[in-house]
Amino acid sequence: MPTPPDRGTSHDGPLLEPVHVLRLRNTDALAELMREYQRDNGVYEKVPLPAPTSGIEQATEELPRVTGGRPAPPVARGRVPGLRRTAVAAAVTAAAVIGFGCALVLPGRNADTAAPAPSAPQETSAPQEPSAPPAASAAPTPTVSSATDPDGAGTLRQGAAGPEVSDLQQRLLRIPDVYDNGPTSGSYDAVLTEAVARFQLWYGIRGDETGVYGDDTRQALESRTGGVSGG
C-alpha cells in the first residue's frame, strides 16, 4: 500500500485514484424462481367433497335454547337423579345409628349380668366384747429426765451447781486470760458461761453448744490442765 507523501513536498508522478471492485451477481437463480412463481400463481388443486347423506337432517333434533348458566345434563329415562347417592347416605346413617344404640345398650346389659354376688352376711348376732383397758401395772413410757442432757452425760450449763462446777472453775483459772479472778463458788452463772464460750472459741471447740461444758469441751480442758484439778 503506498504511503501518502509528506506535506509540503511536490509529487511529480500521476495521481492515484481509488479502485472500486464490482462483482457480478448471479441473478439466474432468482429469475428462474420468479418464472416458476408466475407460472403457478392462481392455480389450486381441486379436492372433491363427499356428498351429503340423505336422511341426516330428519334424524337430528334441535336443542332447546339456554337462557343463562350451564345447561342441565340430560336425564336418563326411568332414573331419578341423586337417588343412588340418597340411598347410600340413608343406609350409612341407619348403620351408624344402630351401632351407636348397640354401644349404649350392651354396656348396660353387661353391667346388669356382671353384678357382684351378694357378700356373705356378717355375723352380727353376737355383740363384740369391749376391749380390756390397759393394765394399770404396765410400765410407763420412759421420759428424758432432767439429769439427761442432749450433749451427753455430765454436761454442765448455766444454772447448774455442785462440786463439778467448782472443778470446772478451778481448771479455767489455769488457762491464761480465760477466767481471770473468777469465783470458785460452784455456781454455773453468766460469768462462767462467758468463760466457757471464750475457751471454746479460742481453742476451736465445736462439738458442744456455745457456753456449755460438754464432752468435747471437757476433754479439751482436761488435756490442758491435767487429769485431777487442784484443791
Side-chain angles (χ1 to χ4, degrees), residues 8-203:
T9 59
S10 60
H11 186 71
D12 297 338
L15 298 177
L16 299 178
E17 295 183 359
V19 178
H20 297 277
V21 179
L22 300 178
R23 295 181 180 179
L24 299 178
R25 296 182 179 179
N26 187 6
T27 58
D28 295 340
L30 182 59
E32 184 65 23
L33 181 61
M34 294 298 295
R35 285 194 296 270
E36 291 179 0
Y37 174 75
Q38 293 176 359
R39 183 173 57 253
D40 297 336
N41 189 14
V43 180
Y44 299 96
E45 183 180 0
K46 295 181 179 181
V47 178
L49 298 177
T53 307
S54 60
I56 293 180
E57 295 183 359
Q58 290 78 4
T60 59
E61 296 181 2
E62 184 177 358
L63 297 176
R65 182 173 299 177
V66 180
T67 56
R70 298 181 61 183
V75 180
R77 296 180 180 179
R79 298 182 60 184
V80 181
L83 180 60
R84 185 176 181 181
R85 294 183 179 178
T86 305
V88 172
V92 172
T93 305
V97 172
I98 293 174
F100 185 71
C102 293
L104 293 178
V105 173
L106 291 178
R109 291 184 178 180
N110 294 336
D112 295 339
T113 57
S119 59
Q122 298 180 358
E123 297 179 359
T124 58
S125 58
Q128 297 181 358
E129 297 181 359
S131 59
S137 60
T141 305
T143 57
V144 180
S145 61
S146 59
T148 304
D149 196 278
D151 291 331
T155 301
L156 301 177
R157 63 181 64 243
Q158 187 172 353
E164 294 183 353
V165 178
S166 299
D167 180 74
L168 170 62
Q169 294 171 339
Q170 294 175 6
R171 290 179 182 276
L172 289 177
L173 289 173
R174 299 180 185 181
I175 305 299
D177 302 330
V178 172
Y179 191 58
D180 292 345
N181 301 323
T184 58
S185 60
S187 177
Y188 205 119
D189 53 4
V191 177
L192 183 59
T193 301
E194 294 178 358
V196 173
R198 190 179 301 109
F199 175 76
Q200 292 172 342
L201 178 63
W202 288 1
Y203 292 92

